[in-house]
């Protein structure tokens, strides 16, 4: 308890990392078979790539990225709905990483090049500031998982300006984990849950999941030692035939989570069935504004139905795109015939190559899986 | 968009704090952090909102957890914050 707080809260001790890696190898060997785990967070993939963790994993350990990229799972018709609002001359505000994601016909960036008023904001607070400084309606394209949805909720509970209109495409990750666990082709034997999302939800929400699907869930942080220790605790459970929820990120995550944030979230949003791009229609996978927030709901105010955007033939090459399979944990980026060839960061085809949180983009940028 | 970053509060005025992310300072909304925060506290920030105060004692706890995880004789260890047995309340924070 007397150790000094690490500078910048970085936990990167090399000797400890090596010891954990040895322990990980030992646990995989104990399992006596290849072990496949899934994480559900772009930040976990980024950290594994950045710190070279993937290169240090034992040969028989496979860690796949599941549906953990909020940009990637935003459905094309949701983007089309946003473009349709921009096409009516409305000013549209979006998180920057949504800009280049293709809808069915075009991206928000394409729409902007065609003269639409599409602007990038850092977050919900900035969207409210922009709306307050204007008398015209301002549309905020509210995308992202529960962690980001909480920011949208806080904004709507803090006297939002009347001219701010929310187009919610928020998604609820635990619902997608259920779908992955039910996928017959899935080889996933354990889940590394995202520490920041669990900071909001608490690790308690995984208890029922673990009971139902008999797979362990370990909540992990994002420093190299956070990830290694969480993987050790997962593989050791797999080897021992256990399935429990373990919190390996207690400096941020509690069992109950952030009650204030959860209360804000469920005061503003209802769960709704929703399409996750390339994966499935996920029961309770989306977060829709409650009827009492209809005044700020773009769908209520402007009648934007997801079906409104005209269906357009997809580019031929997009049919080969494996994004959906990659996000479902049944393929890796280098299984895709387009990866690094027709589909590259400068010419992305699938959403996983567009977003800095997408598995394909991260692998490509770090030279992983390139032939 | 989905990026949580820890930083340290350098000033605070009602619901808006200035957080130092190791050189870069940003205004951060304090509406949804679930306990009182003060100048000098570490917070986890996500899209402009503090979502958690990171207590110093939990940082120390993390360091000893890593020490345990990296120790050679590892039988029977469980991490801090391991789930309680069904029917029992979670342990209070130290």
């Amino acid at each position: 308890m007397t150790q000094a707080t690490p500078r910048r809260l970085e936990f990167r001790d090399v000797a400890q990392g090596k010891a954990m890696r040895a322990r990980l190898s030992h646990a995989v060997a104990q399992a006596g078979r290849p072990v496949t785990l899934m994480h559900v967070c772009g930040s976990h993939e980024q950290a594994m790539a950045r710190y070279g963790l993937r290169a240090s994993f034992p040969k028989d350990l496979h860690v796949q990225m599941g549906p953990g990229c909020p940009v990637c799972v935003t459905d094309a018709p949701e983007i089309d709905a946003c473009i349709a609002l921009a096409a009516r001359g409305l000013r549209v505000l979006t998180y920057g990483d949504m800009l280049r994601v293709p809808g069915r016909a075009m991206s928000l960036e394409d729409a902007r090049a065609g003269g639409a008023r599409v602007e990038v904001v850092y977050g919900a607070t900035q969207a409210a500031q922009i709306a307050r400084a204007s008398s015209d309606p301002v549309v905020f394209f509210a995308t992202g998982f529960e962690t980001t949805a909480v920011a949208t909720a806080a904004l709507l509970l803090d006297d939002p300006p009347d001219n701010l209109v929310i187009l919610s495409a928020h998604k609820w990750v635990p619902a997608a984990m259920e779908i992955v666990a039910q996928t017959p082709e899935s080889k996933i034997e354990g889940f590394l849950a995202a520490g920041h999302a669990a900071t909001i939800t608490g690790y308690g929400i995984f208890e029922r999941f673990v009971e139902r699907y008999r797979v362990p869930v370990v909540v992990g942080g994002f420093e190299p030692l956070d990830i290694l220790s969480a993987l050790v605790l997962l593989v050791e459970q797999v080897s021992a035939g256990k399935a429990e929820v373990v919190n390996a990120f207690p400096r941020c995550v509690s069992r109950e989570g952030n009650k204030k944030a959860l209360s804000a979230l469920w005061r503003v949003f209802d769960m709704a069935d929703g399409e996750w791009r390339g994966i499935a229609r996920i029961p309770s996978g989306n977060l829709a504004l409650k009827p009492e927030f209809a005044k700020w709901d773009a769908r209520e105010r402007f009648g934007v139905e997801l079906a409104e955007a005209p269906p357009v033939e997809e580019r031929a090459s997009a049919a080969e795109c494996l994004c959906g399979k990659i996000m479902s944990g049944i393929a890796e980026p280098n299984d895709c015939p387009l990866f690094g060839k027709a589909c590259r960061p400068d010419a992305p085809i699938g959403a996983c190559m567009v977003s800095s949180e997408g598995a394909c983009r991260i692998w490509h940028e770090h030279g992983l899986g390139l032939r | 968009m989905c990026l949580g970053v820890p930083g340290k509060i350098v000033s605070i005025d009602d619901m808006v704090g200035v957080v130092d992310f190791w050189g870069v300072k940003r205004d951060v909304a304090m509406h949804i952090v679930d306990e009182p925060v003060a100048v000098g506290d570490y917070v986890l920030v996500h899209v402009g909102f503090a979502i958690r105060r990171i207590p110093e004692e939990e940082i120390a706890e993390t360091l000893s957890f890593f020490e345990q995880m990296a120790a050679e004789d590892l039988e029977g260890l469980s991490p801090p914050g391991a789930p309680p047995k069904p029917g029992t309340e979670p342990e209070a924070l130290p």
Side-chain angles (χ1 to χ4, degrees), chain A:
Chain A
M1 289 297 200
T2 52
Q3 300 167 81
T5 296
R7 198 171 148 261
R8 302 182 175 194
L9 298 191
E10 288 170 342
F11 298 91
R12 300 174 187 180
D13 184 272
V14 174
Q16 287 182 342
K18 283 182 175 169
M20 287 185 206
R21 187 202 172 276
R23 187 163 162 175
L24 191 58
S25 296
H26 178 72
V28 173
Q30 291 259 300
R33 61 175 189 278
V35 175
T36 303
L37 307 175
M38 176 180 277
H39 73 82
V40 283
C41 183
S43 295
H44 270 146
E45 190 62 45
Q46 285 168 346
M48 284 185 217
R50 183 173 305 141
Y51 304 116
L53 299 185
R54 282 198 172 279
S56 82
F57 289 162
K59 184 170 62 62
D60 278 342
L61 176 66
H62 303 285
V63 183
Q64 298 201 327
M65 175 162 173
C69 164
V71 175
C72 308
V73 300
T74 302
D75 204 28
E78 292 174 321
I79 294 166
D80 292 344
C82 190
I83 292 170
L85 290 173
R88 294 188 200 175
L90 292 163
R91 189 171 172 191
V92 167
L93 311 177
T94 175
Y95 289 104
D97 35 8
M98 288 306 306
L99 259 192
R100 296 177 66 209
V101 185
R104 282 173 296 185
M106 62 171 85
S107 65
L108 283 164
E109 187 177 53
D110 296 332
R112 183 169 71 180
R117 295 166 75 191
V118 178
E119 295 163 41
V120 168
V121 288
Y122 169 67
T125 310
Q126 195 191 347
Q129 283 164 357
I130 289 172
R132 285 194 180 98
S134 166
S135 51
D136 297 329
V138 173
V139 178
F140 176 49
F141 191 24
T143 48
F145 295 142
E146 49 269 26
T147 21
T148 315
V150 161
T152 306
L155 161 74
L156 282 171
L157 293 171
D158 187 32
D159 191 22
D162 288 348
N163 62 328
L164 180 67
V165 188
I166 307 289
L167 179 63
S168 172
H170 284 307
K171 308 222 180 258
W172 174 245
V173 175
M177 285 173 64
E178 302 253 347
I179 295 294
V180 170
Q182 291 165 11
T183 303
E185 310 97 295
S186 168
K187 294 180 188 152
I188 309 302
E189 292 191 82
F191 286 87
L192 170 61
H196 294 152
T199 300
I200 301 291
T201 62
Y203 65 78
I205 61 156
F206 299 116
E207 288 165 5
R208 206 175 54 123
F209 176 87
V210 159
E211 214 167 280
R212 185 177 291 173
Y213 299 104
R214 306 296 312 150
V215 286
V217 173
V218 176
V219 178
F222 299 89
E223 284 293 309
L225 293 184
D226 287 324
I227 294 173
L228 283 171
S229 59
L231 292 174
V232 167
L233 293 168
L234 269 175
V235 179
E236 286 182 350
Q237 286 199 62
V238 170
S239 301
K242 286 187 189 167
E244 290 169 4
V245 183
V246 178
N247 177 16
F249 192 35
R251 66 183 183 277
C252 287
V253 177
S254 64
R255 182 160 182 260
E256 295 78 14
N258 181 332
K259 288 183 193 163
K260 202 169 168 183
L262 283 173
S263 149
L265 184 68
W266 300 124
R267 272 171 72 194
V268 170
F269 291 101
D270 281 327
M271 286 183 184
D273 298 352
E275 290 289 336
W276 285 48
R277 186 177 193 142
I279 301 177
R281 184 164 184 84
I282 298 191
S284 304
N286 275 22
L287 296 169
L289 290 175
K290 281 183 186 287
E292 53 263 50
F293 293 93
K295 188 171 142 191
W296 292 280
D297 188 339
R299 294 188 177 91
E300 295 296 327
R301 195 144 152 190
F302 296 111
V304 176
E305 288 305 322
L306 295 187
E308 183 186 311
V312 173
E313 270 184 54
E314 291 187 22
R315 284 172 292 168
S317 52
E320 291 175 69
C321 170
L322 289 190
C323 266
K325 285 190 170 172
I326 291 164
M327 292 189 289
S328 305
I330 49 184
E332 296 203 288
N334 56 351
D335 293 327
C336 179
L338 306 175
F339 178 71
K341 299 187 177 78
C343 184
R344 304 179 308 272
D346 61 323
I349 289 170
C352 299
M353 187 61 91
V354 175
S355 170
S356 59
E357 294 170 77
C360 297
R361 172 76 171 270
I362 296 167
W363 279 42
H364 197 282
E365 286 194 341
H366 291 273
L368 297 169
L370 290 169
R371 275 167 273 218

